[in-house]
Amino acid sequence: MKTALTAIALALLSTPLLANPPSDEARQLAQKLIIVDTHIDAPGMLQDGWRDLSGETDREFDWPKSRAGGLDVAFMSIYTSAAEDAAGTAYGIANQQIDAVWALASRAPDKFAVLTSPRDIPRLRRNGRVLLPLGMENGAPLAGKIENLHFFYKRGVRYITLAHSAANALADSSYGAARKWNGLSPFGREVVTEMNRLGMMVDVSHISDDAAAEAIALSRAPVIASHSAFRHFTPDFERNISDALAKAVAASGGVVQIPFGTAFVNPQAAANLQAKFRQRDALQQRNAAARAAGQPEESVAEWEAAWAHEHPRLSTDIEAVLAQIDYGVKLVGIDHIGIGSDFDGVGGELPEQLRSVADFPRLIDGLKARGYSETDIGKIMGGNLLRVWREVEALALVADRH
Ligand SMILES: [Zn+2]
């Protein structure tokens, strides 16, 4: 019979990194560096259930955890789904999420500030403020109108992931079986050109390979992948970036930001997710045909529940994230890899040692163990993304900004 103590000992043995807190060196370096995370889904979580993120919460991102982890620049993801796009509600939902971020900053001006330019970092970062730039995940809120791009720029949005889980008015998605545009739409091309003029970063995460290749070729400025792991580890999973496209992002001067979610860094989880999207797509098409023929539809909720039951959660180690970073650095160079965690966006399916923004020092310890210098760690943890953002801003036509 196992005693409680043996159980604890076994648990500690099976999670050696959890048993050891991050080193003092890593904690100090995390405080010293400007850490930038390009993808945190706090705004959508706030919409689902409000929390005061300036205090201790049960979320993966809040102010105390950011300070503990040394996070300085936390891109707030303004995410809308394909279903919201179809329902015509994406514009309103995006505005509500942007309101939530501005409200967060104005209620706790000593702890947060919305960040609209990398120039403002030294001034705003003083006294431990966590800075909140806005990244829009899915171009659906533009509702097909270029004037909405100007509107969202004025509201503070500084990157747009052109599409999410289905083709939209701008681009095809990596998840959607149907390829509506075989790349970008004419409107998508107009948006990329205009984003360059305004000084917004073009984000090729989530979109199809053809759409990404077209966006990179069209953009005058460096392009980012805000949260994309390497397909090298997850063959056939188009959501992760191919070696060829990663090289194209780097050649543009841009950066590939590595996510932490199990679904992206664990090969079996990635295969499951890809299959799930394909099968749900097929189910929705069957339902559309049934609707048209006046036949009963299958329940999507029941299908989702059955899928979850047949595919239990998989666990992943921090080493899987470090392996992604290593691979990327060898493939495209130290100047073109960063981090886009996807905290608060993956239902807690994360490596055991990377549970929240408080855990960045553990990642730093992992990078040190793999031989990265302090300078290299600084580039990966935020320096590269800030270089790209400054360059995108410098290439914008300033006269057209307002
Ligand atoms: Zn995403």
Side-chain angles (χ1 to χ4, degrees):
M1 208 174 87
K2 250 198 279 180
T3 65
L5 269 181
T6 339
I8 290 166
L10 282 172
L12 289 177
L13 277 174
S14 62
T15 54
L17 272 172
L18 265 187
N20 300 321
S23 68
D24 287 345
E25 258 186 309
R27 283 183 208 268
Q28 281 158 17
L29 187 52
Q31 297 299 324
K32 187 173 124 190
L33 297 173
I34 298 183
I35 298 185
V36 183
D37 183 333
T38 40
H39 203 91
I40 295 179
D41 278 298
M45 289 288 275
L46 281 177
Q47 230 177 2
D48 293 344
W50 191 85
R51 297 284 190 288
D52 178 5
L53 297 182
S54 68
E56 230 25 281
T57 66
D58 55 355
R59 298 283 159 85
E60 290 158 10
F61 169 83
D62 59 33
W63 187 83
K65 289 191 189 83
S66 298
R67 288 318 313 147
L71 175 61
D72 299 286
V73 178
F75 273 84
M76 296 286 98
S77 177
I78 306 303
Y79 162 71
T80 54
S81 67
E84 288 157 355
D85 187 13
T89 55
Y91 175 85
I93 290 168
N95 275 297
Q96 286 166 19
Q97 292 183 14
I98 294 170
D99 284 347
V101 178
W102 280 99
L104 188 61
S106 58
R107 274 196 307 267
D110 53 331
K111 290 185 173 152
F112 292 116
V114 175
L115 181 69
T116 57
S117 166
R119 282 190 309 260
D120 298 334
I121 293 175
R123 177 173 60 85
L124 294 176
R125 184 174 170 246
R126 257 178 243 150
N127 310 322
R129 272 200 208 97
V130 175
L131 309 183
L132 310 173
L134 304 174
M136 179 177 270
E137 182 174 36
N138 195 352
L142 301 182
K145 293 180 191 149
I146 208 76
E147 46 284 24
N148 283 338
L149 181 66
H150 294 243
F151 168 78
F152 283 117
Y153 177 84
K154 283 183 195 147
R155 293 223 64 194
V157 173
R158 289 298 178 270
Y159 80 67
I160 298 180
T161 317
L162 301 178
H164 187 251
S165 66
N168 62 12
L170 289 74
D172 286 337
S173 160
S174 60
Y175 286 140
R179 297 295 148 111
K180 194 172 175 187
W181 309 106
N182 293 314
L184 298 181
S185 70
F187 177 63
R189 288 192 283 274
E190 194 187 347
V191 167
V192 168
T193 305
E194 199 58 20
M195 285 174 80
N196 285 167
R197 272 164 42 91
L198 289 165
M200 288 168 104
M201 291 179 278
V202 175
D203 176 18
V204 299
S205 284
H206 276 292
I207 60 179
S208 70
D209 282 0
D210 287 343
E214 212 180 326
I216 296 163
L218 183 63
S219 178
R220 289 191 292 114
V223 162
I224 66 166
S226 68
H227 59 311
S228 288
F230 285 97
R231 200 179 304 164
H232 168 80
F233 295 92
T234 59
D236 300 325
F237 186 49
E238 194 177 349
R239 168 68 183 84
N240 279 343
I241 197 162
S242 70
D243 286 5
L245 283 169
K247 285 181 182 170
V249 166
S252 83
V255 59
V256 177
Q257 303 279 99
I258 304 297
F260 304 164
T262 301
F264 307 115
V265 301
N266 176 310
Q268 187 55 52
N272 290 351
L273 187 62
Q274 177 85 67
K276 181 184 175 181
F277 271 95
R278 286 201 179 127
Q279 290 182 34
R280 197 172 57 189
D281 229 51
L283 169 66
Q284 277 158 347
Q285 279 169 35
R286 285 200 302 278
N287 275 348
R291 227 175 5 257
Q295 303 286 323
E297 295 178 38
E298 297 167 57
S299 159
V300 178
E302 271 172 36
W303 180 87
E304 296 254 9
W307 180 276
H309 183 72
E310 285 159 30
H311 299 84
R313 284 177 169 225
L314 298 168
S315 67
T316 313
D317 194 84
I318 192 171
E319 291 300 322
V321 175
L322 291 162
Q324 291 274 348
I325 293 173
D326 255 358
Y327 181 80
V329 168
K330 285 188 186 104
L331 185 74
V332 297
I334 188 69
D335 294 320
H336 304 283
I337 297 295
I339 48 169
S341 65
D342 222 346
F343 280 134
D344 284 325
V346 291
E349 294 192 43
L350 291 154
E352 281 81 2
Q353 308 92 337
L354 284 176
R355 308 299 309 174
S356 79
V357 295
D359 291 330
F360 287 124
R362 290 186 196 277
L363 195 65
I364 290 176
D365 266 334
L367 290 169
K368 286 166 83 80
R370 285 176 180 240
Y372 288 89
S373 69
E374 211 175 292
T375 308
D376 288 350
I377 293 172
K379 288 180 175 186
I380 294 167
M381 298 302 289
N384 288 335
L385 189 281
L386 293 181
R387 180 202 74 233
V388 171
W389 193 2
R390 281 188 211 106
E391 220 165 303
V392 167
E393 213 177 54
L395 288 167
L397 301 180
V398 178
D400 288 313
R401 274 227 208 115
H402 300 290

